[in-house]
Amino acid sequence: MRVILIGGSKTVYFLARGFVQRRYHVTIINRDPVRSRELAQTTKATVVLGEGTDINRLEEAGARQADILLALTSKDQDNLIACQIAQRKFGIPRTIALVNDPENEAVFKQLGVQMAFSATRIIASIIEQETDFDDITNMMSLAQGRVNIIDVRLDKDSPAIGKTLTELELTDNALIACIIRNNVMIVPRGLTRLEVNDHLLLISDPQHQKQNLIVLTGHYT
Amino acid sequence: MAQSKHIIVVGCGRLGGLLATRLSHSGHKIVVIDKREAAFDKLSADFSGFRFVGDVTELSILRQADIEHADYLFAVTTLDNTNLMVAQVARHIFHVPHVVARVFDPLREAVYCDFGIQTISPTKLALENFMSCVL
């Protein structure tokens, strides 16, 4: 696996180190001479000094043979152009960009970047989820946000207590995959009755998540 | 003169300032955007358009400049990548009919000229002019 990283942040450093350990061939492109020397000494990656959107520097970094390019600078425009040149000029099959303005996530995808992620949006959504639900302790997002897996605890006020699963009015795209009761896992059937302190593993699409949580906990905010 | 057009000029350096001033003289509605307020010193005193301070890599700034109704967008900041990004966003996200970006790096320009973005490379133009002086 041949990886090109653009940028000089801590993220670039830790990714480079991790990739080198996995025996990937790693090249970093960084514009700052001092930081470049540091990265070369601490990561065992090859470091090319220059701009990640400079075609000659990309060539030097082995863009023709690269399998994946990650553009991780603090400038959205530089990350976008690096990914586009990587694809169009060098045919790198996978490109990933960091975006700062959350709105640019969708823009980048529309402009051909395969994966764009916004740290701002990820952190904001973590905080939102933490403050919204006390009884929801854990949440995982899969398939680029199209599926959520949520751990819901039923407290004594939950409207779902005493009901069977078939009596719950969950939406079509939702499923209770498992119940944890007194630390024992139960695979639920339609007639399984819910009790106080049950932990439910709910699988839902984000669009209907709110509605399903109301069915299980009685509240949303 | 034909119907007045809504034109956005991104970047108010030497070129942007002149371009915006000239276009405003021909009766068009001009919005000029720059990151720094001091850049608007480049506009002549009789510039009759709108000045707008903001970072054009943010969608919300472009919306505030009424990009949805723009007929033309000229991206002439000093940074190639900013120009290429804002030009593509204008063309492919907001469907501005006419978009032109200044790109200094001729190699980078070559990658974009066949992707629906009109580009002008001052480096290439100057090179051709110099070469024609010799021959």
Side-chain angles (χ1 to χ4, degrees):
Chain A
M1 178 86 120
R2 301 179 82 93
V3 185
I4 296 177
L5 294 163
I6 299 173
S9 61
K10 280 266 183 225
T11 315
V12 169
Y13 163 74
F14 283 112
L15 282 175
R17 231 180 47 170
F19 289 155
V20 168
Q21 265 168 18
R22 281 191 239 169
R23 307 204 171 282
Y24 294 171
H25 186 284
V26 184
T27 308
I28 302 172
I29 306 180
N30 182 275
R31 60 151 63 125
D32 180 65
V34 177
R35 183 66 180 146
S36 289
R37 200 171 310 124
E38 267 173 25
L39 286 167
Q41 286 161 354
T42 52
T43 63
K44 292 185 186 137
T46 310
V47 180
V48 172
L49 177 64
E51 301 288 331
T53 52
D54 184 329
I55 288 166
N56 292 327
R57 296 292 84 69
L58 282 164
E59 182 101 57
E60 212 178 302
R64 286 189 196 285
Q65 295 85 38
D67 300 294
I68 184 163
L69 177 138
L70 294 99
L72 304 167
T73 78
S74 59
K75 290 217 160 72
D76 285 4
Q77 61 270 45
D78 294 352
N79 294 339
L80 172 70
I81 304 303
C83 287
Q84 289 183 325
I85 292 177
Q87 272 169 2
R88 293 172 183 181
K89 174 88 185 163
F90 295 103
I92 297 181
R94 296 197 66 196
T95 55
I96 299 177
L98 172 70
V99 307
N100 296 287
D101 178 359
E103 269 202 286
N104 279 337
E105 250 184 8
V107 171
F108 277 32
K109 282 177 198 158
Q110 222 171 317
L111 297 178
V113 179
Q114 266 137 7
M115 205 180 140
F117 66 92
S118 152
T120 320
R121 192 190 53 75
I122 293 168
I123 292 168
S125 78
I126 290 170
I127 291 168
E128 206 173 287
Q129 282 153 19
E130 288 288 322
T131 51
D132 269 7
F133 329 106
D134 290 337
D135 25 18
I136 292 153
T137 48
N138 212 337
M139 172 153 156
M140 200 162 87
S141 193
L142 295 177
Q144 298 190 344
R146 282 187 283 272
V147 182
N148 285 342
I149 301 180
I150 310 156
D151 176 356
V152 187
R153 186 183 67 87
L154 301 183
D155 66 17
K156 60 176 176 31
D157 301 322
S158 157
I161 303 291
K163 285 190 183 163
T164 63
L165 291 198
T166 44
E167 287 167 346
L168 290 176
E169 287 176 357
L170 295 175
T171 62
D172 284 344
N173 277 332
L175 169 76
I176 291 172
C178 135
I179 299 172
I180 297 154
R181 182 175 295 163
N182 302 321
N183 294 321
V184 178
M185 182 186 126
I186 301 168
V187 177
R189 320 219 169 264
L191 295 176
T192 308
R193 223 168 262 286
L194 296 172
E195 296 177 9
V196 178
N197 285 330
D198 279 355
H199 276 269
L200 312 181
L201 221 55
L202 170 71
I203 300 176
S204 170
D205 60 2
Q207 292 82 2
H208 297 101
Q209 178 180 314
K210 224 182 223 187
Q211 209 177 325
N212 291 321
L213 286 172
I214 292 169
V215 170
L216 294 174
T217 65
H219 60 86
Y220 175 68
T221 49
Chain B
M1 195 199 69
Q3 209 187 346
S4 156
K5 304 288 187 196
H6 176 23
I7 305 177
I8 299 179
V9 176
V10 176
C12 194
R14 262 193 295 265
L15 177 61
L18 280 171
L19 188 62
T21 303
R22 268 239 213 137
L23 289 165
S24 88
H25 288 167
S26 25
H28 297 299
K29 183 197 166 196
I30 311 296
V31 180
V32 54
I33 313 176
D34 202 287
K35 244 180 158 169
R36 298 174 313 118
E37 186 148 24
F40 298 129
D41 293 349
K42 296 270 190 330
L43 295 166
S44 78
D46 57 352
F47 170 72
S48 60
F50 300 91
R51 302 164 171 84
F52 204 93
V53 181
D55 181 346
V56 289
T57 61
E58 288 173 31
L59 250 57
S60 59
I61 298 292
L62 293 172
R63 282 198 201 95
Q64 286 174 53
D66 199 20
I67 193 169
E68 275 111 338
H69 299 106
D71 300 297
Y72 289 85
L73 181 138
F74 298 124
V76 292
T77 75
T78 52
L79 299 169
D80 283 359
N81 294 344
T82 303
N83 294 342
L84 284 169
M85 176 171 169
V86 78
Q88 292 183 82
V89 169
R91 188 73 199 92
H92 301 299
I93 310 289
F94 292 108
H95 310 292
V96 177
H98 308 280
V99 174
V100 188
R102 169 167 69 170
V103 183
F104 288 101
D105 178 3
L107 288 175
R108 220 169 299 179
E109 191 213 8
V111 178
Y112 282 90
C113 63
D114 43 331
F115 275 91
I117 299 295
Q118 200 185 330
T119 51
I120 293 177
S121 169
T123 316
K124 217 166 73 184
L125 293 178
L127 176 72
E128 280 156 15
N129 277 320
F130 276 109
M131 291 307 283
S132 72
C133 295
V134 177
L135 297 174

